[in-house]
Amino acid sequence: MIDFLVETCLLCHGLVSISDDEMAEVFKGIPGAGFVWIEEGSLHTGDLEEFMRFRALRVKGRASMKTLDDFIASGKNAALTASGTMRICREMGIRLAVSCGIGGVSNIWDREVSDDLPGLAELNIPLIATSPKDMMDIQETIKWLKDNNVKTYGVGSDKCTGYVFKSADVQLDGKFSGDIAEAGSNQLILNSIPGNERIQDLSILKKAVETGKEAASRGEHFHPAANAALDRATGGLASRIQLRSAAANARLASRLISH
């Protein structure tokens, strides 16, 4: 039985040095975890084994809540972003979504707002994530969420201090109480990576952003290219940190749903 859905974009595109076997091992045995993807225009949800078969196809499509219908209509393949995952939760009556690093107000593209933010504001599906990505303007991202009536809580902390790096110090609405919001409410729960496990050298982030921008100028996706640059610069550490965090978020979701 699927109790919550895990975003698949990071797992398909962002962890270039993580093998299928390593990913399967880290996510193994999480009760209630489901995954969602689009294969040849058909929407699929499934367990870890079924998702790993899809991951092995190495698809490049990224479907958000706004582009999901286009992938289905065109018969293409895609993993789903956080907003796409929340939309499917809403449509299927699943009450919780899980992500890792989410989008936000961009520091790169003229303050562009990721679909993940209106997804949180409009879809009424609580989301467990780690943080907005470090290349976002995290201060403005949290402000946007507050201005749009999304409550932000930290697990064990009332601040967001960044994702894979310590890139911010932003006040949240409070510490997470341990209870998922009632249906129809907007709630972002941030389960941060411990500070001593994060990458310390912010120059690595700057170089990865430049790599992502160069990829975007060629018509490729920014975030997979930036993540690949982080992976190379850290000998795979950035990918392993994110994999562990995504699985930790799924385990937190499993515990919350079982209460």
Side-chain angles (χ1 to χ4, degrees):
M1 177 180 176
I2 292 176
D3 294 319
F4 59 91
L5 288 177
V6 180
E7 176 211 325
T8 50
C9 268
L10 174 70
L11 305 184
C12 284
H13 306 145
L15 307 177
V16 295
S17 66
I18 301 297
S19 68
D20 289 348
D21 287 345
E22 184 177 359
M23 182 171 291
E25 181 65 26
V26 171
F27 269 93
K28 183 172 66 176
I30 302 177
F35 302 82
V36 58
W37 64 93
I38 299 169
E39 189 170 352
E40 296 182 354
S42 295
L43 184 74
H44 294 264
T45 58
D47 61 16
L48 179 62
E49 182 178 354
E50 293 167 311
F51 167 68
M52 294 309 300
R53 180 194 56 78
F54 173 74
R55 185 184 192 251
L57 299 177
R58 301 297 187 257
V59 306
K60 295 183 178 180
R62 298 168 58 86
S64 73
M65 69 176 191
K66 294 180 181 177
T67 62
L68 193 152
D69 291 333
D70 293 335
F71 278 97
I72 291 174
S74 61
K76 294 181 178 179
N77 297 331
L80 268 64
T81 68
S83 72
T85 304
M86 286 186 283
R87 175 178 158 183
I88 299 306
C89 285
R90 173 74 176 269
E91 293 177 0
M92 294 183 66
I94 296 171
R95 61 182 297 222
L96 182 62
V98 170
S99 182
C100 196
I102 63 171
V105 177
S106 177
N107 258 331
I108 302 161
W109 311 118
D110 194 27
R111 321 310 290 168
E112 177 182 294
V113 175
S114 163
D115 286 352
D116 291 347
L117 300 193
L120 281 160
E122 298 168 13
L123 294 172
N124 302 319
I125 296 295
L127 176 69
I128 297 175
T130 306
S131 170
K133 296 181 178 78
D134 294 297
M135 59 276 295
M136 299 293 108
D137 186 329
I138 294 179
Q139 179 82 44
E140 285 301 311
T141 297
I142 299 301
K143 181 180 184 299
W144 191 100
L145 291 169
K146 290 183 178 181
D147 289 346
N148 287 272
N149 300 313
V150 179
K151 293 294 185 181
T152 58
Y153 300 106
V155 176
S157 174
D158 61 358
K159 288 190 174 182
C160 176
T161 59
Y163 179 36
V164 177
F165 298 82
K166 191 178 186 304
S167 59
D169 187 15
V170 181
Q171 187 69 45
L172 304 174
D173 287 310
K175 293 182 181 180
F176 179 53
S177 68
D179 295 318
I180 305 170
E182 295 180 1
S185 61
N186 304 321
Q187 185 180 43
L188 174 63
I189 302 160
L190 297 180
N191 187 30
S192 66
I193 296 167
N196 62 356
E197 296 181 13
R198 299 190 213 179
I199 301 165
Q200 304 302 314
D201 185 355
L202 283 168
S203 70
I204 294 174
L205 174 63
K206 183 177 180 181
K207 292 175 184 176
V209 168
E210 291 305 314
T211 300
K213 289 168 69 174
E214 291 168 5
S217 72
R218 299 190 297 268
E220 301 169 13
H221 290 296
F222 172 88
H223 289 295
N227 252 339
L230 289 176
D231 182 276
R232 290 192 298 270
T234 61
L237 177 61
S239 291
R240 292 192 297 274
I241 290 170
Q242 292 178 84
L243 175 63
R244 290 195 300 264
S245 182
N249 295 344
R251 290 191 180 91
L252 173 60
S254 182
R255 292 195 300 271
L256 294 175
I257 288 288
S258 67
H259 285 173

